[in-house]
Amino acid sequence: MRRRKTAIFFLIFGISLSALALALNVGWILLNIREVALLVLGMIFFALIITGIVLNTIFLVREVRKSEQHDAFLNSVTHELKTPIASIRLYLETLKTRDVSPEKQQEFYDVMLADSDRLLNTVDQVLSASKTGETRSRYDVEELDIGGLLEDSASIVRSRYNLDPGSIRIAETEAELRVQGDSHELQTAFVNLLDNAVKYSPGGAKVSVRVKASPIRNRLDIFIKDNGVGMEATELKRVFKRFYRVPQADGMKVKGNGLGLFIVNSIIKKHGGSITADSKGAGRGSTFIVQLPKA
Ligand code: ADP
């Protein structure tokens, strides 16, 4: 009887000990799971916070850069508006207060006309850049001879900078190549590209323009190549961003507002085409390649 009691006691004792061990074990696992869970949760939160901080910093840096570009843009636009106005004012005052010979008067009128063109050009650029946001801006589509269009754009730029015909050469094409589009808009795009090619070639521009059937079917490639300042590979995409200007080398002071290529890009895109920039590096000239669908 005693033995049985002892056996029962030890059995219960054993079961209790086992239960305790089990409880301890389970408790230990549970506690650890909680810790592991806490650890995992902590890591996730930590990663989230770090990602948040990184994203926030990137966002801030971008905003600072944007605001710097906006400031630079405002400065250059204000300058571009003020300078021709000041110049026109000065000539008008001279004409009003002094006796000026008829030849000189003609010269003054020419300068004032050039200044007013410069004003109009700046205003046009700012207006088109704000219009490009509109998805449904109207444009008149017609079939255009691309050679003629390039020739017209080149003569606008030649007369803007008083250049001889050899400075912008347009290579002959075997056949008349035609595109479908708005002549006014496409001319704006090509004038901008040619203007840049001349503007960023400080030692005298040699610009060559070539039109070729693209390797891609039903497309045309237009190459506008200059011998100017060129650009590093990292800039090739950025130059199409609104307000973006490549930092200029010391001593170079080419004026601009960073809108030209942004406008060109949106016009070409609207015509179902694409534009890319290419350069072997700073100081080694640039080529802009416009691809448009054939008419
Ligand atoms: P802007 O000429 O008014 O600065 P754009 O949008 O026309 O603005 O051009 C953006 C930038 O791209 C320019 O500031 C210049 O640094 C660079 N760029 C454009 N065209 C050329 C070119 N033909 N050769 C070298 N750099 C160019």
Side-chain angles (χ1 to χ4, degrees), residues 91-92 94-95 98-112:
Y91 281 108
L92 284 176
T94 317
L95 283 171
R98 306 231 166 131
D99 263 343
V100 183
S101 68
E103 302 88 68
K104 269 273 173 250
Q105 278 184 14
Q106 282 307 318
E107 200 183 297
F108 284 10
Y109 292 144
D110 285 342
V111 178
M112 285 195 278

Side-chain angles (χ1 to χ4, degrees), residues 5-250:
K5 268 189 181 167
T6 324
I8 289 170
F9 171 78
F10 276 105
L11 189 71
I12 292 170
F13 186 63
I15 288 171
S16 309
L17 272 182
S18 304
L20 193 68
L22 198 74
L24 271 175
N25 231 322
V26 170
W28 187 82
I29 288 172
L30 272 179
L31 262 179
N32 270 295
I33 277 180
R34 266 178 104 191
E35 265 178 22
V36 168
L38 277 178
L39 195 73
V40 170
L41 266 179
M43 272 159 71
I44 290 173
F45 278 126
F46 192 65
L48 278 177
I49 289 170
I50 294 283
T51 320
I53 290 173
V54 169
L55 284 179
N56 200 32
T57 313
I58 292 175
F59 177 77
L60 271 179
V61 169
R62 274 206 188 152
E63 285 305 302
V64 169
R65 263 206 209 142
K66 260 194 204 160
S67 120
E68 277 173 4
Q69 282 172 7
H70 281 208
D71 283 352
F73 163 75
L74 269 184
N75 276 340
S76 74
V77 165
T78 316
H79 179 85
E80 281 296 291
L81 294 177
K82 256 175 100 178
T83 319
I85 292 175
S87 155
I88 292 174
R89 216 190 133 87
L90 195 79
Y91 281 108
L92 284 176
E93 268 171 11
T94 317
L95 283 171
K96 196 178 166 197
T97 52
R98 306 231 166 131
D99 263 343
V100 183
S101 68
E103 302 88 68
K104 269 273 173 250
Q105 278 184 14
Q106 282 307 318
E107 200 183 297
F108 284 10
Y109 292 144
D110 285 342
V111 178
M112 285 195 278
L113 273 176
D115 279 335
S116 61
D117 278 349
R118 190 168 150 195
L119 264 178
L120 264 180
N121 193 32
T122 309
V123 173
D124 265 352
Q125 278 211 324
V126 175
L127 283 181
S128 4
S130 61
K131 255 201 306 194
T132 49
E134 296 170 14
T135 40
R136 276 188 298 148
S137 54
R138 268 171 12 102
Y139 73 116
D140 307 311
V141 183
E142 54 186 317
E143 226 178 73
L144 304 162
D145 162 30
I146 193 79
L149 198 70
L150 287 166
E151 213 31 274
D152 292 346
S153 315
S155 41
I156 292 175
V157 177
R158 281 192 205 108
S159 72
R160 193 178 281 174
Y161 292 94
N162 277 325
L163 298 172
D164 58 284
S167 52
I168 304 177
R169 280 180 198 282
I170 298 172
E172 290 283 325
T173 49
E174 320 92 73
E176 195 184 81
L177 296 168
R178 303 181 77 81
V179 292
Q180 195 109 21
D182 179 317
S183 65
H184 179 72
E185 293 228 325
L186 284 178
Q187 195 176 70
T188 304
F190 290 124
V191 167
N192 258 303
L193 289 172
L194 292 170
D195 187 288
N196 276 350
V198 173
K199 201 163 76 161
Y200 293 104
S201 300
K206 283 273 168 283
V207 184
S208 68
V209 183
R210 210 152 38 94
V211 188
K212 278 202 316 190
S214 166
I216 301 172
R217 259 190 65 198
N218 290 329
R219 299 207 140 223
L220 286 180
D221 285 336
I222 301 142
F223 298 83
I224 298 175
K225 184 168 184 270
D226 64 57
N227 59 336
V229 295
M231 59 187 94
E232 300 294 348
T234 46
E235 307 286 3
L236 295 174
K237 283 215 172 97
R238 289 190 202 150
V239 289
F240 296 101
K241 284 191 187 161
R242 177 154 41 181
F243 305 137
Y244 186 78
R245 304 197 73 212
V246 179
Q248 292 183 22
D250 291 342

